[in-house]
Amino acid sequence: MRTPWTMTDRKDGPGGDTSVVTKTRAKTQRPPLYKVLLLNDDYTPMEFVVHVLERFFGLSHAQAFEIMLTVHKKGVAVVGVFSFEVAETKVAQVMDFARRHQHPLQCTMEKE
């Protein structure tokens, strides 16, 4: 039976038998993170954007209001940074919610 260990056998001297056991460790890396962005438009009400930020990103009313103002003034704002799957889900949730309420709000993601 073989184990995940690597055995290297050497014969040292008369009748000498030594074994060296080594184990290779995989180097782990953190997964890449993605920024979720909200884009400004001239039609989505500010109150709706605040509601989206509170509902899908768990922000307080004050935090949501600040981000909404940033989107309004600068045209775009980072709402949060997440793993790929979480960012993808949040973008889909926001886009679906906006469409169901007939707003053209755009939400995207990009690698950090």
Side-chain angles (χ1 to χ4, degrees):
M1 179 168 95
R2 294 203 86 176
T3 64
W5 299 89
T6 303
M7 301 282 289
T8 305
D9 293 330
R10 297 189 327 219
K11 301 272 187 209
D12 287 339
D17 185 12
T18 60
S19 297
V20 176
V21 179
T22 60
K23 183 177 179 182
T24 306
R25 283 189 177 219
K27 184 150 186 156
T28 57
Q29 285 184 317
R30 288 202 172 278
L33 296 177
Y34 291 80
K35 297 185 283 190
V36 175
L37 309 163
L38 271 186
L39 307 174
N40 188 41
D41 64 72
D42 293 332
Y43 304 101
T44 304
M46 292 178 178
E47 298 81 23
F48 183 80
V49 175
V50 170
H51 178 69
V52 163
L53 293 168
E54 291 171 346
R55 179 173 178 160
F56 296 106
F57 297 94
L59 300 176
S60 69
H61 186 75
Q63 292 170 320
F65 191 81
E66 283 298 316
I67 291 176
M68 177 276 298
L69 283 179
T70 302
V71 172
H72 181 69
K73 291 176 182 176
K74 295 187 177 181
V76 65
V78 176
V79 181
V81 179
F82 308 95
S83 67
F84 178 81
E85 292 80 8
V86 173
E88 186 177 50
T89 299
K90 292 207 179 276
V91 168
Q93 288 173 330
V94 169
M95 294 295 290
D96 180 58
F97 190 71
R99 296 300 160 267
R100 283 190 282 127
H101 289 86
Q102 300 178 355
H103 294 300
L105 182 65
Q106 293 292 305
C107 185
T108 62
M109 62 188 264
E110 65 182 37
K111 201 169 189 177
E112 188 176 46

